[in-house]
Amino acid sequence: MLWRFTERFGQRDLTSISQEEVLEFLMNLRMALILAFVSAFSLMPTYLLAQTSRPNILFILTDNLGYGEVGVYGGGVTRGAPTPRIDSLAREGMRFLNFNMETQCTPSRSSLMTGRWAIRSGTHSVPFGGVADGLTQWEVTIGEALSEVGYATGYYGKWHLRNHDGRLPNDQGFDEWFGIPRTTDESLWPSSPGWSADIMPAEEMMEGRKGEKSRPLGVYDVTQRRLIDAEITRRAVSFIGKQAQSDKPFFAYVALTQPHLPSEPNPTFKGRTGNGDWADMLTEMDANVGQMLDAVDRAGIRENTIVIFTSDNGPEFIRPWDGWVGPWRGQYLTALEGGIRVPFMIRWPGKIAAGRESNEIVHGVDMFATLAQFGVAKVPTDRPFDSIDQSDFFLGKTEKSAREGFPIWCAERLMAVKWRNWKLHFYRQDNMFDPPVMNPVPTIYNLYTDPLEKKPTPDSWVVGPSLKIVNEFEQSVKQHPLILMGTPDPYRPGTPQ
């Protein structure tokens, strides 16, 4: 500014400069500065321009929560404990009646992370007995996609996609993480008769940061099982508060461990309802979700934060921790609706209409493409990508989902195909311990007239569009072979496994 003033008036006596000349000079300088700013802003990279409007994302994933457990899906008080904080997401956002996941924990978490059917990436089954497992480093996660465009990323809770360095959350796109690398039933091991760490080492809680090795924090036993969701919530709340003060949007992926067996509440909630451990656990879960929602409000970022609440698959089958599927039949590890249809609510004030609900089909695999669209991030183009962008549907620009159906695997077995309101079953299996039995001919169920999937319908024309889904998948496998379970790093397409 001094340079400009000197250039204009430097050769004149200051007493000879009129007030009108000074005002004109200042107005011209103001316009020049505005034009310079606009010019610089227009030359800024697109991803930097978008960053100021990118939403924060709080993704809350529960473990084995059945369709009928929380209040707005028919549970809550009918299960012994109201869930007002979770239910508020339906009132303030959108509730889905036909949101689907894969049939078990590891595959559902894999498809959420990669936007690909888990059978493609060698994560089609829960790994038992210490077998090789996990996502290869070749896979691109939603954490990596959002991190690449400037998001701060945090993962808190159950991972279940490998328990060794190289395949933990901090190796797969997350700036920091805390939780368990495998699953919660292993917390029973240390107190089981005959167990020995020499035979099967106990699972440990872990934490890590990007670029560093994760470190163990102690054995995950029943005592820690009761405490862990409180710690997951505490760390998530801290991350939200810290990142809200930064100049970066955040992606907080919070994988609570409840109500996976053993479904035991935190000691501070024990006996709270008077209706048993299950109701106390449900009250604890609702309170933990409430803490995270309060953290968003306290940070003043409610309007620019997407909040999602869902489950990884259907409920427990093993008593006394068995859950409830509402109007459906079946549990996890089956292709019945109770195994795959889960609660799902999303809130984004001013963007997603409050109180809206839909029975249109959406699958968890669609979260990658949809969240990437909201975050202005890229999706992989060098591999089969099963995720469908549902952003227009979520935002109310259309009342129709972009998905009409999907294949249903249990492990490596194609169990069924869901298309619109029909299910085509290739196998019959009523619960996780029943052996799957191949049907002589595929059986067809109309989910509108037979939600329990007990009365086959003669609508054989449905076989055509259902098999089209199968054929499209099989054609993609011919060009891009499946990654086998236990494939080591480094993996590259076309290399021997």
Side-chain angles (χ1 to χ4, degrees):
M1 181 174 177
L2 181 62
W3 175 78
R4 291 280 190 183
F5 188 87
T6 303
E7 182 183 50
R8 174 76 184 273
F9 302 114
Q11 304 301 317
R12 295 176 56 183
D13 185 343
L14 293 179
T15 59
S16 68
I17 303 173
S18 68
Q19 185 177 2
E20 289 76 13
E21 287 180 294
V22 173
L23 289 173
E24 180 188 3
F25 166 75
L26 291 174
M27 290 295 291
N28 290 336
L29 179 62
R30 178 173 177 271
M31 184 58 68
L33 289 172
I34 291 173
L35 291 173
F37 177 78
V38 170
S39 177
F41 197 71
S42 67
L43 293 175
M44 193 180 298
T46 303
Y47 75 92
L48 290 177
L49 285 174
Q51 189 157 306
T52 57
S53 60
R54 284 182 171 139
N56 305 303
I57 302 167
L58 170 58
F59 193 104
I60 304 171
L61 180 71
T62 56
D63 198 358
N64 299 353
L65 181 73
Y67 185 94
E69 300 290 7
V70 299
V72 290
Y73 286 87
V77 292
T78 67
R79 296 289 280 152
T83 53
R85 301 309 304 275
I86 296 172
D87 295 348
S88 72
L89 294 172
R91 184 175 65 254
E92 299 166 358
M94 183 175 180
R95 179 171 71 114
F96 291 71
L97 304 177
N98 202 346
F99 191 88
N100 304 266
M101 287 285 194
E102 300 213 33
T103 61
Q104 48 182 317
C105 299
T106 292
S108 59
R109 292 160 195 271
S110 172
S111 61
L112 282 170
M113 274 289 136
T114 66
R116 287 157 42 87
W117 303 126
I119 196 167
R120 294 193 189 277
S121 58
T123 53
H124 53 69
S125 302
V126 169
F128 290 104
V131 301
D133 64 297
L135 292 172
T136 67
Q137 293 175 355
W138 176 80
E139 295 288 344
V140 176
T141 72
I142 183 61
E144 289 172 312
L146 291 172
S147 180
E148 287 177 2
V149 294
Y151 272 76
T153 53
Y155 192 103
Y156 308 97
K158 172 180 169 179
W159 176 240
H160 218 182
L161 292 172
R162 186 62 169 170
N163 64 324
H164 294 301
D165 285 310
R167 295 190 180 183
L168 290 168
N170 55 321
D171 306 306
Q172 301 276 20
F174 291 92
D175 298 328
E176 63 181 63
W177 89 284
F178 161 81
I180 52 172
R182 298 194 299 272
T183 186
T184 287
D185 52 279
E186 293 183 27
S187 66
L188 295 168
W189 290 1
S191 55
S192 296
W195 173 83
S196 168
D198 295 330
I199 299 172
M200 182 62 73
E203 181 173 20
E204 294 196 89
M205 299 173 294
M206 303 182 77
E207 67 177 1
R209 293 184 176 277
K210 185 180 291 185
E212 302 175 4
K213 288 187 175 182
S214 293
R215 66 187 188 94
L217 298 174
V219 170
Y220 184 52
D221 57 15
V222 173
T223 298
Q224 293 301 324
R225 191 275 167 280
R226 299 185 183 108
L227 302 175
I228 193 168
D229 275 21
E231 181 63 11
I232 291 168
T233 301
R234 186 192 70 79
R235 292 194 183 220
V237 165
S238 175
F239 179 81
I240 291 167
K242 177 178 63 177
Q243 296 305 327
Q245 302 301 316
S246 75
D247 58 354
K248 300 174 70 174
F250 68 77
F251 175 45
Y253 195 112
V254 186
L256 297 172
T257 65
Q258 298 284 20
H260 194 291
L261 73 85
S263 310
E264 300 191 13
N266 186 287
T268 61
F269 288 87
K270 180 79 171 178
R272 178 81 62 94
T273 67
N275 295 320
D277 283 351
W278 185 272
D280 293 343
M281 176 277 299
L282 204 56
T283 297
E284 178 194 353
M285 180 190 298
D286 192 67
N288 287 333
V289 171
Q291 285 190 54
M292 289 181 267
L293 298 180
D294 289 343
V296 169
D297 289 348
R298 192 164 53 245
I301 55 174
R302 180 188 180 99
E303 303 302 313
N304 196 40
T305 300
I306 297 171
V307 179
I308 291 171
F309 176 89
T310 190
S311 174
D312 62 348
N313 43 243
E316 292 287 353
F317 176 70
I318 300 173
R319 294 182 178 180
W321 304 293
D322 47 324
W324 190 38
V325 296
W328 317 109
R329 185 168 69 95
Q331 308 82 19
Y332 64 178
L333 287 161
T334 75
L336 296 166
E337 286 297 284
I340 61 172
R341 199 183 293 218
V342 297
F344 183 95
M345 290 167 278
I346 181 170
R347 185 187 78 182
W348 190 4
K351 299 291 196 307
I352 293 176
R356 184 179 169 211
E357 68 178 29
S358 175
N359 191 47
E360 289 287 299
I361 290 177
V362 180
H363 196 283
V365 77
D366 298 333
M367 288 298 97
F368 193 129
T370 305
L371 295 180
Q373 178 66 24
F374 288 149
V376 199
K378 297 178 180 179
V379 301
T381 57
D382 62 342
R383 64 201 68 193
F385 190 65
D386 304 297
S387 187
I388 297 176
D389 176 14
Q390 298 280 11
S391 58
D392 282 350
F393 174 49
F394 284 15
L395 295 173
K397 296 178 181 179
T398 174
E399 291 299 313
K400 300 293 291 182
S401 167
R403 177 181 294 281
E404 284 194 313
F406 57 90
I408 304 168
W409 282 275
C410 189
E412 297 174 281
R413 188 169 50 256
L414 180 64
M415 296 288 289
V417 174
K418 184 170 177 176
W419 181 78
R420 295 186 180 176
N421 58 292
W422 287 275
K423 286 272 286 293
L424 180 71
H425 281 266
F426 303 113
Y427 287 83
R428 182 173 68 258
Q429 183 181 22
D430 287 343
N431 64 64
M432 62 186 289
F433 294 125
D434 279 351
V437 177
M438 181 178 286
N439 292 317
V441 294
T443 55
I444 306 164
Y445 300 94
N446 185 328
L447 297 174
Y448 287 162
T449 60
D450 181 26
L452 297 181
E453 300 170 79
K454 288 186 173 182
K455 305 170 185 176
T457 174
D459 296 334
S460 58
W461 64 271
V462 174
V463 173
S466 299
L467 290 185
K468 181 180 178 183
I469 293 173
V470 177
N471 291 336
E472 288 175 351
F473 171 79
E474 290 178 344
Q475 288 302 313
S476 72
V477 172
K478 291 179 180 179
Q479 297 182 17
H480 302 271
L482 304 178
I483 299 173
L484 301 181
M485 191 170 180
T487 295
D489 290 314
Y491 165 78
R492 292 291 181 272
T495 57
Q497 298 182 47

